[in-house]
Structures are given as C-alpha cells and as structure tokens.
C-alpha cells in the first residue's frame, strides 16, 4: 500500500500570510504514460464532506480561489495558500488515487494565528 | 446538477448487518466508477472500496479492513449504489460517503453528505 504522510500536523498562520503543507508518498505516484501525478488535495470543514481543491498535483478545480496552488512530483508534494483568509480554516488532506487501495494523508489542521 | 444522497445509516450491534444506499442524480451513473469512503468521528478519511462501470464489468475492489465483510453493488437502472455491510465491528463506526470518480481525471469531486453508521451494543 502507498502510505501518505503530511507535515505539519497543524499550523497557525496570520490572516494574509502564506500557509504551506507538505505531503509525501511512500512510492512514486507519477503515471508515466501521461506524466500525471495522481495526487489530490482536499479541504474539509466540520460537518461537511471533503472539497476537492487540486487534482493531478497542480490542477486547480474550477471555482477554487487562485490563492490555492499545488506543486510537486513523484513522491513530494506541497499545497500552498498564498494569502490565508478566515474561510480557509479547515483540515487539509492529500490523497493518492494512483493505485488501490487509495490512501489519504492524516490531515493538517490550519488555523488563524 | 450532480447529487449523491446516502441513506440507511443507523445504530447496529456488533456482528450485525446494514445496507447503505446512495441515490445518484444529474449524471449517467452507468458511465462512472463509484467509491465508498468513511470517516470516524474526529479522524481521517479511509477508502472503503470501488465498483467500476459497466464497461469494466462492474468489478469491485476493497480495502483490506473490510474485504470479505462488505460488498459494493449498483443498479444503474435505479441510479443507485449500495454498500452491504456484514459482521460489523465497533471500528466500522463512521460517516460513510459515496463518491463519484471523474471520467477524465479520475479525481473525486462529487461527494455525498454522508450517512452515520454506529456499531455499538
């Protein structure tokens, strides 16, 4: 199974400042035939299902603010919130959908400092 | 508008059975792979299993933690997805979500609101 790890477990950032979350997979999730990394980022707020922010490691889902960006390839990935807003307080998960069993990182809780 | 609505959750004793349903609307269910994902209270997300589309013979795969106890099925004519759960354990207590797999990107954009399963005596 592909194990997903995230760091940090939690972080507190001032409004308008940058938040960076790291995600690592235990093996490459780069699909050679199409050069796509099968890595997604989700935002989850209490009582709600996860919301897809980024797929293919760096493709922003339609309607997602451009302050959210994803980067990385192979086994190392990053979600960046360039200017944290109050509505961004949530738990963020990375997720590999390269190979079953599909697995998630443990989550990173983002709060306002 | 795509909608996924789960139902069938509730309280069940350890060792019992429960069947969850997911009503799909706003898209052609038969085209899509569908997944179940669960989340225990205050915990992370855990993939439960997948059922592929008709073109892929409706094959299924499961997480090791539920294999041989859970069965995913679908009735495309009724726009419905199912999760039959047997031999339930306390650790199966969670909110269960049905999820649509995107045809192009394989990403998981559409999620239901979830249904709570509580396994307790």
């Amino acid at each position: 199974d592909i194990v997903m790890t995230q760091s940090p477990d939690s972080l507190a950032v001032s409004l308008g400042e940058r938040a960076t979350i790291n995600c690592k997979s235990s093996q490459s999730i780069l699909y050679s035939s199409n050069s796509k990394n099968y890595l997604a980022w989700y935002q989850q707020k209490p009582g709600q299902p996860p919301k897809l922010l980024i797929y293919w490691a760096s493709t922003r889902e339609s309607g997602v603010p451009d302050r959210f960006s994803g980067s990385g390839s192979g086994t190392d990935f990053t979600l960046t919130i360039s200017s944290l807003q109050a509505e961004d307080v949530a738990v963020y998960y990375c997720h590999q959908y390269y190979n079953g069993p599909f697995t998630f990182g443990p989550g990173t809780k983002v709060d306002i400092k | 508008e795509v909608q996924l609505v789960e139902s069938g959750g509730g309280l069940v004793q350890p060792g019992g059975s429960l069947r969850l349903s997911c009503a799909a609307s706003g898209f052609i269910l038969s085209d899509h792979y569908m997944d179940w994902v669960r989340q225990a209270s205050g915990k992370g997300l855990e993939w439960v299993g997948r059922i592929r589309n008709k073109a892929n013979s409706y094959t299924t795969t499961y997480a090791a933690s539920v294999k041989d106890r859970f069965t995913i099925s679908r009735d495309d004519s009724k726009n419905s997805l199912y999760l039959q759960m047997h031999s339930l354990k306390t650790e199966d207590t969670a909110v269960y979500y049905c999820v649509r797999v995107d045809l192009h990107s394989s990403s998981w954009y559409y999620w239901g609101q979830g249904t709570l399963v509580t396994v307790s005596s």
Side-chain angles (χ1 to χ4, degrees), chain B residues 6 10-11 21 37 58 60 69 75 82 92 99 103 115-116 120:
Chain B
E6 302 92 341
L11 175 63
S21 299
V37 176
Y58 298 128
T60 53
R69 298 189 300 122
D75 186 337
Y82 306 102
D92 295 319
V99 186
L103 289 172
T115 187
L116 176 61
S120 174

Side-chain angles (χ1 to χ4, degrees), chain B residues 65-117:
Chain B
S65 58
V66 306
K67 198 174 190 305
D68 300 325
R69 298 189 300 122
F70 289 12
T71 301
I72 299 173
S73 61
R74 59 195 291 166
D75 186 337
D76 292 341
S77 68
K78 294 183 178 179
N79 293 316
S80 292
L81 175 73
Y82 306 102
L83 179 65
Q84 178 69 55
M85 304 182 291
H86 294 296
S87 303
L88 282 161
K89 306 175 182 180
T90 55
E91 53 263 40
D92 295 319
T93 295
V95 173
Y96 285 73
Y97 298 101
C98 68
V99 186
R100 192 189 87 167
V101 182
D102 187 81
L103 289 172
H104 171 58
S105 68
S106 299
S107 63
W108 302 1
Y109 180 76
Y110 290 104
W111 296 60
Q113 287 299 309
T115 187
L116 176 61
V117 173

Side-chain angles (χ1 to χ4, degrees), chain A residues 38 42 44 47-50 52 55-56 61-62 93 95 97 101-102 104 106, chain B residues 35 37 39 43-47 50 97 104-109 111-113:
Chain A
Y38 280 64
Y42 295 90
Q44 189 177 31
Q48 297 183 17
L52 179 64
Y55 62 94
W56 283 339
E61 181 59 57
S62 176
Y93 295 94
H95 164 226
Y97 53 105
F102 307 108
F104 295 85
Chain B
D35 287 10
V37 176
Q39 185 172 36
K43 302 297 184 183
L45 298 159
E46 181 186 16
W47 175 75
R50 167 170 289 183
Y97 298 101
H104 171 58
S105 68
S106 299
S107 63
W108 302 1
Y109 180 76
W111 296 60
Q113 287 299 309

Side-chain angles (χ1 to χ4, degrees), chain B residues 52-64:
Chain B
R52 295 173 183 81
N53 56 13
K54 182 178 181 180
N56 288 278
S57 305
Y58 298 128
T59 54
T60 53
T61 52
Y62 299 94

